[in-house]
Amino acid sequence: YWNNRRWWNIANIQSYADKAISDSPPVSGEELLTRGQLYDETIMLGLRSGGIDLVEMKDRFHVDLLASQRPTVDGLLEGNLAVVEGSKLRLTEKGFLLCDEITRRLLGAPVAV
């Protein structure tokens, strides 16, 4: 991943080695991520790691996650599924067990261009 571009390598080890030996990139495919995809990945990866950085969401995507997702976030906080610590929305141990469902609920918010 680099500059909003993601690529993946050739799966076949022999083809990969042949490309590498010939100084050719062993790339099988690539994609340029849209702003919406980057937003969704920030949510997904944040929930699976140290939490969603709310300041980054405002700076990078111009989205106030706590305000734009108020009913969902309130439900997560009330259900002890998430906490806000400093500038991060982080899942609790209980919330992490439901990470995929919580992620689904937070995805696809409107992202400013």
Side-chain angles (χ1 to χ4, degrees):
Y1 176 82
W2 179 266
N3 282 338
N4 302 341
R5 186 177 141 250
R6 177 173 38 217
W7 62 93
W8 47 95
N9 291 333
I10 296 170
N12 179 282
I13 193 70
Q14 185 61 54
S15 297
Y16 180 95
D18 291 344
K19 287 279 192 178
I21 289 169
S22 70
D23 278 339
S24 298
V27 174
S28 175
E30 67 179 76
E31 64 184 339
L32 185 62
L33 300 176
T34 67
R35 194 158 174 76
Q37 288 170 316
L38 291 168
Y39 175 90
D40 286 350
E41 288 203 359
T42 301
I43 295 286
M44 178 187 65
L45 295 174
L47 289 175
R48 283 171 171 72
S49 59
I52 299 169
D53 187 324
L54 301 169
V55 173
E56 177 190 0
M57 296 303 288
K58 280 184 183 177
D59 292 346
R60 188 171 175 198
F61 300 107
H62 310 289
V63 172
D64 181 341
L65 189 66
L66 298 183
S68 68
Q69 297 281 349
R70 173 63 60 199
T72 300
V73 171
D74 284 348
L76 295 173
L77 298 174
E78 290 166 9
N80 192 32
L81 299 172
V83 294
V84 176
E85 292 178 339
S87 67
K88 292 201 175 187
L89 175 66
R90 175 183 73 70
L91 295 180
T92 62
E93 285 185 33
K94 180 180 174 184
F96 198 74
L97 296 173
L98 301 169
C99 187
D100 289 345
E101 175 60 23
I102 293 168
T103 299
R104 187 189 64 75
R105 290 180 185 196
L106 292 174
L107 292 182
V111 178
V113 177

